[in-house]
Amino acid sequence: MRSRQSSLKLSDYSAKAMLGNRNSFALLLHRITRRIRQSLELEEILASTVAEVRSFLGTDRVKIYRFHGDCSGEVVAEAIRDQRLPSLLHHNFPAGDIPREARELFLSVRQRSIVNVSTQQIGISPFKPGSMMDIRFRKVDPCHVEYLTAMGVKSSLVVPILAEERLWGLLVSHHATPRQLGERELHLVQLVADQLEIAIAQSNLLSQTRLRAHQEQTINQIATLLHAAPQIPLQTVLEQTVIALQANGGRLYLHSHFSDHRSGQFPPQLFTTGPQPQIPASWLQDLDTPPNRNSTNPPSLLIPPTPSSSFGEAHEPPSSSFGEAHEPPSPSPHLEQHPHWQTWLEMEEPAPVSSNLWAIADLYRAVMPSDLAIAFLTVQIRGLLIVRLYYQQQFLGYLSLFRGEIDFERIWAGRIDRNDPRQLRPRRSFETWRELKQGQSHPWSTADQELVRALADHFAMAIHQHLLYQQVCTLNSTLEQDIQQRKQAEQKISALNAELEQRVLQRTAELQQANSELSRQIADRERALTKLQQTQATLVRLGHQLELILNSVAEGIYGLDTQGIITFANPAAAKLLGYEVEHLIGQWMHQFFHHAKPDGTPYLAAESPIYLTMHNGTTHHCSEDRFQRADGTSFPVEYVSSPIREADQIVGAVVLFKDITARQQVEQMKDEFVSIVSHELRTPLTSIRSTLGLLASGWLNSYPEKSQRMLEIAFSNTNRLVRLISDILDIERIKFGKMPMQKQTCNAADLMLQSIDAMRAMAEKAGIQLSVAPISVTLWADPDRIIQTFTNLLNNAIKFSPSGSVVSLTAELHQAEPDYVLFRIKDQGVGIPADQLEAIFDRFQQVDASNSRSQGGTGLGLTICRGIVQQHQGQIWVESKLGEGSTFCFTLPLVTPDHHDSTL
Ligand code: ADP
């Protein structure tokens, strides 16, 4: 609008005041306007503009001076005629060259000025839209004059150039000689300045458009990389970002994050390019004590506790993550993990473009902790741009970009030393002075910050998507792993099942085999048990039998152990020794029995045959040793001692013994019997022999009477011998049962009478009266043997009774079980001493042998009687008083029904 107004004003002016140069003026404007419209490059426009304006004004120099932000300025376009003035192109002028009041007037009223050094006049013309050009002249400031003079200028014209309501620059004309410039020239320059303002606006717009295009291209390029592949080349993206931002380094820190509950946590990752700061040593020391995470850090910045809860501990990722990451040497944590880093960021003012972005242009001016600043500055990092990466409130990490120091070179048109008081005076020299500023910071422009913010959004989105992708990959991997493990487990289970089945089959077979074996063993055992039971029964039976045998045998049997202690004894042994069985058990035999030799001399223990049996296993048979009874008496024994062996070891001895007292007596009696028989036989035999000898010698032939007498004696002796032998034979036959009783029923009276009859002659001869009182009862007897008994007893009674006495035979019936008859043969003879009443029943026992023998007695009659009575289950005894007579009694049982049956 301003341009159009200016054009209108220009045409009005042309009509009124510039009739002569109308064509050239219009042409100039046309050319400039066309140039501006043709070109979008401001530098080119400025260059052509100064050339056209200088040509139009005909002055020595036209330049365009552009203000910097610090109010200093630089000549950005210049046109000089014929080197009449020195070139100031790209020369910088200090801010003080143009006083602040002047700059304010340039901006506020667009004040234009025309200075004529020679007249010391300055024409000032504030711009008033819609009004005529109004130039008011006054005396110029001497300093200004001196300034221009020092520059070699005698005439100047200055028109301010504004852009976007700010003082952009000045369009200046200089002339080395005095030259009058008026409203016309001022007006024209104003019109040109207006056009320049349009061009500048267009250029700014173009720059912005280009910048945006470039930024969008950068964003697209980086976004393409970020979103192209699942595997984000973060290192490459970081490097591209660093280049796009004209940084010399950068780093991308990815916070640790969880993948899933099984894979655990992805460790923090760091990608770097360019110089990198080392984490300050003091910070590492601070890690020894856990940081207070609840102090100034927002919750989102808190470092999530890791399973190992070790700060900064690096874990290998469960799967490939973002390509090659530069892991710091373990176990140093990354800078961004440290609480100091986060604390510092909270203190630092975020950039206006975002509360999560910090643009630190110059670390020397940052509020950063000094040790951190040193860490950056040490590696020539001067500026920082940090953006905290978030996606949907999820903190992902930090993107940091570094800028180093840069050098600035400026060409100054003279230098002002404010310490030099001469500088208070107008400058006298514009000698070119080249200023080189080294180690300058390179600030982050708003465009830079916006670009980074936009890129950060893409970073965050891509990283977040990648995290999701990574989690899915991890889940897939875990799932595949699970499936694989499950398959393997199933295979293992199948194999185990097969093995188990095989084992079960094998075990079943083994069990069946074991079972059959067990059954067989059980059957064997049952058989063995049955056999054992049978054996036990046999043993019990045998034991019982043995016990019965032991109990029933008449011989004493006892057992000894090797010490001579009695281990068992049978009742016969106890009885023979006069003890109870239990008294014998456990006693030392030798001492208890007082085992002695036949003559009564006690054995020493070691000499005892029984001891020898126990110690050398020999069997000993002794027939005349003596044992002692409980009552102290001793008796002769015959014994056999035999060893008891178990497994070829002598464990004791068994002794079988019997009391041989009776036998010894029998033997003694036999000896006596033989002696008596010999004696009894020898006497008559000797007599007979003598008689026969005399007869044989013929000597007796002369003595026939003597011879007769001797023959009678011999005959008598022969009868005696016959009786003796007959009696002896009877006794022996009775004794040994060789005289069978021909028992039968017989009448007692008959037997009594027959016997009396048989003895009647003898009685008569001796003058004895026989008396008989028979009873008629039936006996079960051998009548001949009963008669023999009667006759024997009657014979004795007659023999030992004086002549004229009576011998009676009586019988009494006794009622008993069984009934019996008591016979009595009573005489009135010599009687029998009391102590002989029993003895006379023994063989060859006679009260008065010579008397008896003279009576023809043998001493065997009563013995035979006793034998016969006993054979009939009867008893025989004698009652006698010496000198008064004797009564021999015997009983015989009556016949019983049984006896009758036996005869049938
Ligand atoms: P003997 O042939 O000697 O008679 P016995 O055995 O018959 O033998 O009798 C034995 C002894 O008993 C007789 O020698 C006698 O001393 C005595 N004796 C037997 N009977 C009588 C009797 N009636 N009176 C007295 N003494 C008798």
Side-chain angles (χ1 to χ4, degrees), residues 97-344:
D97 278 14
I98 299 171
R100 185 171 57 84
E101 305 82 43
R103 292 198 300 271
E104 286 174 358
L105 287 172
F106 283 143
L107 179 63
S108 59
V109 297
R110 301 183 70 184
Q111 180 149 284
R112 298 155 293 186
S113 63
I114 299 169
V115 176
N116 189 337
V117 175
S118 56
T119 60
Q120 302 281 306
Q121 288 288 316
I122 181 169
I124 298 167
S125 173
F127 181 77
K128 292 180 181 172
S131 63
M132 292 299 290
M133 183 71 68
D134 178 19
I135 302 173
R136 284 177 291 166
F137 288 91
R138 59 175 173 82
K139 188 172 174 61
V140 70
D141 185 347
C143 290
H144 194 175
V145 171
E146 280 195 29
Y147 184 86
L148 292 174
T149 303
M151 205 185 290
V153 174
K154 293 294 185 186
S155 170
S156 76
L157 180 150
V158 177
V159 174
I161 304 169
L162 276 62
E164 298 175 355
E165 309 298 330
R166 290 193 303 166
L167 182 60
W168 185 89
L170 301 172
L171 181 56
V172 180
S173 168
H174 284 165
H175 198 68
T177 56
R179 180 186 178 106
Q180 188 66 41
L181 293 172
E183 288 181 0
R184 176 175 167 268
E185 288 81 5
L186 183 61
H187 185 69
L188 177 113
V189 174
Q190 180 61 59
L191 289 176
V192 170
D194 289 344
Q195 290 301 314
L196 282 177
E197 286 180 3
I198 293 168
I200 287 165
Q202 285 178 344
S203 175
N204 284 343
L205 202 59
L206 177 65
S207 296
Q208 286 175 8
T209 306
R210 280 178 174 168
L211 182 62
R212 288 194 190 285
H214 180 68
Q215 285 186 341
E216 281 175 12
Q217 184 187 357
T218 304
I219 289 167
N220 284 337
Q221 181 187 350
I222 289 172
T224 303
L225 285 171
L226 283 171
H227 300 294
Q231 197 77 338
I232 303 175
L234 279 178
Q235 181 66 28
T236 307
V237 178
L238 176 67
E239 288 167 2
Q240 296 272 339
T241 306
V242 166
I243 292 167
L245 270 297
Q246 294 120 40
N248 61 349
R251 55 196 274 147
L252 176 64
Y253 163 77
L254 297 183
H255 186 56
S256 61
H257 55 275
F258 290 97
S259 56
D260 65 88
H261 67 282
R262 280 183 295 181
S263 303
Q265 192 180 24
F266 289 114
Q269 294 178 76
L270 182 69
F271 301 85
T272 61
T273 181
Q276 296 296 320
Q278 294 295 322
I279 189 164
S282 58
W283 285 24
L284 291 174
Q285 290 168 6
D286 292 345
L287 291 178
D288 293 340
T289 53
N292 180 11
R293 294 174 180 174
N294 295 325
S295 57
T296 56
N297 298 332
S300 60
L301 285 177
L302 286 179
I303 296 165
T306 58
S308 62
S309 73
S310 170
F311 176 77
E313 187 175 350
H315 295 272
E316 287 300 320
S319 61
S320 63
S321 182
F322 300 102
E324 294 297 321
H326 296 276
E327 290 294 332
S330 179
S332 298
H334 302 308
L335 192 63
E336 291 85 346
Q337 289 176 277
H338 201 288
H340 290 1
W341 170 273
Q342 295 151 19
T343 306
W344 160 63

Side-chain angles (χ1 to χ4, degrees), residues 225 277-278 280 338 350 401 553 605 635 662 853:
L225 285 171
Q278 294 295 322
H338 201 288
L401 299 171
V553 293
F635 60 100
R853 207 165 288 128

Side-chain angles (χ1 to χ4, degrees), residues 610-624:
I610 297 172
Y611 175 85
L612 293 175
T613 296
M614 286 188 296
H615 288 85
N616 57 24
T618 52
T619 300
H620 289 268
H621 186 186
C622 297
S623 56
E624 291 183 339

Side-chain angles (χ1 to χ4, degrees), residues 444-729:
W444 305 96
S445 66
T446 304
D448 292 336
Q449 296 173 23
E450 286 178 347
L451 175 59
V452 170
R453 187 188 63 179
L455 288 177
D457 291 341
H458 285 282
F459 266 93
M461 191 187 304
I463 289 167
H464 182 262
Q465 284 173 354
H466 183 80
L467 287 178
L468 291 177
Y469 173 77
Q470 212 167 22
Q471 286 178 2
V472 170
C473 286
T474 306
L475 283 174
N476 279 342
S477 165
T478 308
L479 198 60
E480 282 176 10
Q481 222 171 351
D482 283 353
I483 290 168
Q484 200 63 28
Q485 284 175 353
R486 196 157 291 185
K487 279 182 181 173
Q488 287 174 354
E490 282 173 359
Q491 284 174 353
K492 277 185 183 172
I493 288 169
S494 298
L496 284 172
N497 278 341
E499 190 181 341
L500 194 63
E501 282 175 10
Q502 185 64 29
R503 282 191 185 174
V504 166
L505 287 174
Q506 193 176 346
R507 190 75 185 131
T508 305
E510 286 174 4
L511 283 174
Q512 284 173 344
Q513 194 177 353
N515 195 29
S516 60
E517 177 67 19
L518 200 61
S519 300
R520 192 183 61 73
Q521 286 183 3
I522 287 170
D524 287 350
R525 287 197 179 194
E526 281 177 351
R527 281 196 294 276
L529 189 62
T530 308
K531 207 168 178 180
L532 186 64
Q533 286 171 343
Q534 289 171 351
T535 306
Q536 282 177 341
T538 305
L539 281 174
V540 168
R541 194 175 66 250
L542 288 173
H544 185 59
Q545 288 175 354
L546 184 62
E547 190 179 352
L548 285 176
I549 290 167
L550 287 173
N551 290 343
S552 59
V553 293
E555 286 81 6
I557 300 172
Y558 65 87
L560 301 171
D561 64 11
T562 52
Q563 304 300 317
I565 303 299
I566 298 170
T567 54
F568 70 89
N570 69 341
K575 188 178 178 184
L576 288 170
L577 291 163
Y579 292 100
E580 296 296 328
V581 171
E582 52 269 25
H583 291 151
L584 293 177
I585 307 300
Q587 299 293 340
W588 188 31
M589 184 279 291
H590 190 74
Q591 192 178 27
F592 211 58
F593 295 172
H594 294 285
H595 187 195
K597 295 174 185 174
D599 61 359
T601 311
Y603 274 111
L604 294 174
E607 293 175 344
S608 166
I610 297 172
Y611 175 85
L612 293 175
T613 296
M614 286 188 296
H615 288 85
N616 57 24
T618 52
T619 300
H620 289 268
H621 186 186
C622 297
S623 56
E624 291 183 339
D625 285 357
R626 299 187 74 82
F627 286 174
Q628 192 178 51
R629 293 191 188 89
D631 60 5
T633 60
S634 66
F635 60 100
V637 290
E638 180 184 20
Y639 67 86
V640 178
S641 64
S642 305
I644 302 174
R645 295 177 189 275
E646 281 182 13
D648 294 334
Q649 292 284 326
I650 298 169
V651 296
V654 62
V655 179
L656 185 146
F657 71 97
K658 58 184 176 184
D659 185 349
I660 59 170
T661 305
R663 196 178 75 191
Q664 280 187 343
Q665 287 173 350
V666 167
E667 284 174 356
Q668 191 179 354
M669 285 171 65
K670 189 176 283 181
D671 291 345
E672 288 172 357
F673 176 75
V674 170
S675 173
I676 291 167
V677 166
S678 304
H679 176 72
E680 293 295 329
L681 292 178
R682 190 180 297 128
T683 304
L685 271 175
T686 304
S687 173
I688 293 167
R689 185 174 173 270
S690 298
T691 303
L692 290 174
L694 286 171
L695 288 172
S697 66
W699 179 77
L700 284 174
N701 290 339
S702 311
Y703 308 97
E705 291 178 1
K706 247 187 184 178
S707 175
Q708 183 63 34
R709 179 63 188 153
M710 289 187 73
L711 281 174
E712 287 175 359
I713 293 170
F715 181 68
S716 174
N717 279 329
T718 305
N719 286 336
R720 179 173 170 77
L721 277 178
V722 170
R723 273 200 312 276
L724 268 172
I725 291 166
S726 177
D727 286 349
I728 289 169
L729 287 175

